[in-house]
Amino acid sequence: ADGELVQYHYGLKDLVTILFYIFIAIILHAVVQEYALDKINRRLHLSKVKHSKFNESGQLVAFHLTSVVWCLYVVVTEGYISNPRSLWENYPHVYLPYQVKFFYLCQLAYWLHALPELYFQKVRKEEIPRQLRCIALYLLHIAGAYLLNLTRLGLILLLLQYLAEFFFHMARLVYFTDENNEKLFNVWAVVFVVTRLFTLTLYILVIGFGLPRVESQALDPERGNLFSFLFNNILFRMSVLLLVCLFQASVMWRFIHFQLRRWREYWHEQSSRKRAAAGTKQQTKLLKRDSGYHENGVVKAENGTSPRTKKLKSP
């Protein structure tokens, strides 16, 4: 009523909040699985491998769509898109609005809940290392942005990442229902490249050029300023940028390798179809000739007689 704005900072009590929302995420995961994905799986009659991948993509489509809408609402209402300078102005951003803090806690809770879900969903042993790497990378980046007071930059980067991931898993769902439909994979490829370029640009803009202009911040545990002094060190900033560039380069290399393999498989499939079509045409021609053969311009049957019926002379 008096116009005061209440803000929050991180602390040990966040762990209790995250634990509570881990249980909420497990319940929501079970609801989506039982009332949506299981019903679709019964109609599609997928194999065990496709069944597991379909469940994974179905859960992530629901999560990424919700996160994209929620994150877009937060960055628009907080003015981070309309004023890009706010991404580094007044750094460190120790005190957060309620919706920003709540968004980060829910994100951490979701990716932590994915660990017990590996057991509940009975994920195959071959898939566990890949999913563990994915979960670890998301937790590292989200927790790093939260603890290093880079929450504003982290929101924009999560929005870009979740948008690309949404199109990828949506394309997988469409592919499982119709294997001849791969149009969404092309859409995902374009969105992926664009989001990678925006991600790298934002990292260089904020960490390389924005943060060095901020006034030096000393270590101040009483204010909660524990990590911002690291960005005053040029060696630390350059190390972070180098790691980011190397990571983005590895991601793009894997993407290019995936696309080349996909195109090779596509052209191999098209060439095999053409060879099969040419073979069927040749077989049809041979079948037509099998009814007889030509000798001196006259078609004769296999026993050497002419297939034409002879007229009987009257005695």
Side-chain angles (χ1 to χ4, degrees):
D2 55 1
E4 292 183 356
L5 180 63
V6 180
Q7 292 185 325
Y8 304 84
H9 59 86
Y10 53 79
L12 292 177
K13 293 182 180 179
D14 289 345
L15 299 177
V16 181
T17 308
I18 291 173
L19 180 62
F20 172 77
Y21 283 102
I22 286 175
F23 294 114
I24 299 296
I26 292 174
I27 295 172
L28 293 176
H29 190 113
V31 170
V32 173
Q33 182 68 40
E34 183 175 355
Y35 292 98
L37 298 179
D38 287 345
K39 292 182 178 180
I40 299 174
N41 278 321
R42 294 191 192 99
R43 296 181 181 180
L44 295 178
H45 303 288
L46 300 174
S47 62
K48 290 184 178 180
V49 177
K50 290 184 177 180
H51 179 83
S52 177
K53 292 182 178 180
F54 184 87
N55 289 336
E56 178 189 357
S57 293
Q59 293 287 347
L60 289 176
V61 161
F63 169 71
H64 289 317
L65 179 60
T66 305
S67 297
V68 165
V69 175
W70 189 5
C71 188
L72 183 62
Y73 173 79
V74 172
V75 297
V76 170
T77 54
E78 295 295 333
Y80 299 152
I81 292 181
S82 59
N83 183 21
R85 294 176 61 90
S86 62
L87 297 179
W88 63 80
E89 283 182 343
N90 301 321
Y91 182 83
H93 308 133
V94 179
Y95 299 101
L96 309 175
Y98 170 77
Q99 60 179 354
V100 175
K101 180 180 176 64
F102 185 56
F103 178 82
Y104 270 93
L105 294 183
C106 289
Q107 292 295 314
L108 291 171
Y110 179 86
W111 289 110
L112 285 172
H113 112 281
L115 294 174
E117 286 294 343
L118 295 177
Y119 173 76
F120 295 147
Q121 294 293 321
K122 298 179 180 179
V123 178
R124 295 185 308 152
K125 293 182 179 180
E126 297 82 5
E127 294 290 326
I128 289 179
R130 178 185 63 83
Q131 295 198 22
L132 285 177
R133 285 196 300 268
C134 179
I135 294 169
L137 285 173
Y138 272 112
L139 287 174
L140 178 64
H141 284 79
I142 296 173
Y146 187 62
L147 296 176
L148 293 175
N149 306 317
L150 292 170
T151 51
R152 299 180 183 181
L153 176 62
L155 284 172
I156 307 296
L157 296 178
L158 279 178
L159 178 61
L160 296 172
Q161 174 67 18
Y162 286 163
L163 186 64
E165 288 292 313
F166 169 75
F167 280 102
F168 173 72
H169 290 287
M170 195 68 197
R172 286 181 73 184
L173 291 181
V174 174
Y175 176 76
F176 288 142
T177 56
D178 183 10
E179 293 187 355
N180 295 322
N181 192 348
E182 297 186 0
K183 295 180 179 179
L184 272 181
F185 279 110
N186 298 327
V187 177
W188 163 71
V190 175
V191 174
F192 181 86
V193 173
V194 173
T195 53
R196 291 305 101 191
L197 292 175
F198 271 103
T199 298
L200 189 58
T201 304
L202 279 174
Y203 268 117
I204 296 174
L205 179 64
V206 176
I207 299 178
F209 297 97
L211 292 178
R213 297 181 180 180
V214 178
E215 296 180 359
S216 61
Q217 299 288 339
L219 180 64
D220 189 2
E222 294 182 358
R223 291 185 53 210
N225 188 0
L226 300 177
F227 302 102
S228 61
F229 71 95
L230 294 175
F231 289 97
N232 295 325
N233 188 344
I234 186 173
L235 181 61
F236 179 78
R237 287 200 308 270
M238 296 304 296
S239 300
V240 171
L241 284 176
L242 180 61
L243 289 175
V244 168
C245 291
L246 290 176
F247 179 75
Q248 296 298 325
S250 65
V251 171
M252 285 300 300
W253 170 251
R254 292 180 61 187
F255 171 77
I256 294 171
H257 180 71
F258 170 77
Q259 290 296 327
L260 291 176
R261 184 181 63 185
R262 179 167 164 259
W263 288 337
R264 282 197 301 266
E265 292 176 354
Y266 174 77
W267 289 114
H268 179 72
E269 183 180 356
Q270 292 296 323
S271 61
S272 62
R273 286 181 180 179
K274 290 181 180 179
R275 287 196 299 268
T280 53
K281 288 182 180 179
Q282 189 175 4
Q283 287 180 358
T284 54
K285 291 181 180 179
L286 291 175
L287 288 174
K288 289 181 179 179
R289 292 182 179 180
D290 285 343
S291 59
Y293 64 93
H294 291 74
E295 183 176 339
N296 296 327
V298 179
V299 179
K300 292 191 175 184
E302 293 180 356
N303 55 4
T305 61
S306 176
R308 297 180 181 178
T309 57
K310 294 182 178 180
K311 293 183 179 180
L312 298 175
K313 295 182 179 181
S314 60

